[in-house]
Amino acid sequence: VIGIDLGLKVPAVAVTSEGKTRFFGNGRENKYMKRKFRSERKGLGKKKKLRAIRKLDHKEQRWMKDKDHKVSRQIVNFAIKNQVSIIHLEKLTNIRKTTRTSRKNEKNVHTWSFYRLAQFIEYKAKMAGIKVEYVNPAYTSQKCPSCSTLNKAIDRKYSCPCGFHTHRDKVGAMNIIHAPVIGGHSQSA
Ligand SMILES: [Zn+2]
């Protein structure tokens, strides 16, 4: 099994049951591009160039979609290489917790982009004969993978009084490996 944690700063983190970790995508570049598109759009808006704005929107959509295709490809290749049979992804309704902004629209945009990336991963995984299961993401970013105590990460570091410590973005994926699977896939029927 591998656990995949999706986020903004690091678009995706994968951790295998054996603890092998890989970071995917470039959150900083995504943020830069988003800002660049936004400022171009603003300039066009001032000149009332509506057709050009629509064209720019499509360009941005294509750019983001292309990134999601690349990241999902890399994740599934990583899964194949490590001979995993199941990929665990967070159930997406709660994923907005990873976004800091409180603006409703922004939240929706992020949820949508996570959703699409998850869909791409699921599709490519299926093609490779790998099963995708969605897990309950409750506390996955806070729980200590070693002793289950809840802690909050400070800056980029996660550390627990029990002595466990790691990169904060790794904790989510580690917990997602063992988090309860949602809907129909449970073995405990
Ligand atoms: Zn601990």
Side-chain angles (χ1 to χ4, degrees):
V1 179
I2 55 170
I4 312 280
D5 190 22
L6 306 180
L8 288 175
K9 278 197 176 127
V10 184
V13 181
V15 178
T16 70
S17 317
E18 290 81 30
K20 212 166 162 192
T21 306
R22 183 80 77 79
F23 291 71
F24 300 92
N26 184 339
R28 200 172 293 174
E29 186 197 27
N30 292 350
K31 202 174 161 188
Y32 169 81
M33 287 302 283
K34 240 169 233 170
R35 204 178 297 152
K36 191 169 157 269
F37 279 116
R38 198 186 301 147
S39 86
E40 273 181 49
R41 194 155 32 234
K42 212 171 159 188
L44 291 169
K46 275 183 188 151
K47 294 178 206 152
K48 303 251 189 289
K49 296 198 166 171
L50 298 180
R51 193 174 301 191
I53 290 174
R54 209 177 313 144
K55 219 171 148 186
L56 187 72
D57 285 345
H58 287 154
K59 197 176 158 193
E60 182 175 9
Q61 286 302 318
R62 266 201 312 275
W63 189 85
M64 292 192 301
K65 207 171 162 183
D66 183 58
K67 288 283 154 187
D68 284 348
H69 268 303
K70 277 180 186 146
V71 166
S72 56
R73 181 77 265 158
Q74 288 166 354
I75 288 171
V76 173
N77 285 349
F78 177 75
I80 294 167
K81 214 175 121 195
N82 286 283
Q83 297 176 307
V84 311
S85 52
I86 298 169
I87 291 175
H88 275 184
L89 283 168
E90 268 181 276
K91 179 84 179 146
L92 287 155
T93 44
N94 277 8
I95 206 151
R96 61 193 147 80
K97 73 176 166 25
T98 53
T99 70
R100 290 275 155 68
T101 170
S102 59
R103 278 174 57 206
K104 221 175 184 173
N105 271 344
E106 290 265 296
K107 265 188 190 173
N108 288 340
V109 166
H110 294 318
T111 308
W112 163 245
S113 66
F114 289 133
Y115 179 76
R116 183 174 58 199
L117 180 55
Q119 293 286 299
F120 285 178
I121 294 167
E122 191 176 336
Y123 176 77
K124 292 182 174 82
K126 258 183 199 155
M127 300 282 284
I130 296 167
K131 194 171 166 187
V132 170
E133 291 178 340
Y134 289 92
V135 303
N136 183 348
Y139 305 116
T140 44
S141 61
Q142 290 177 36
K143 206 191 270 178
C144 170
S146 176
C147 74
S148 296
T149 304
L150 298 183
N151 303 285
K152 285 213 168 114
I154 296 160
D155 297 323
R156 310 308 288 155
K157 271 193 191 142
Y158 178 95
S159 45
C160 179
C162 79
F164 176 89
H165 60 91
T166 188
H167 191 290
R168 75 174 295 165
D169 295 309
K170 220 179 134 173
V171 174
M174 288 178 87
N175 284 317
I176 286 166
I177 295 173
H178 303 291
V181 174
I182 293 167
H185 301 296
S186 174
Q187 306 287 316
S188 58

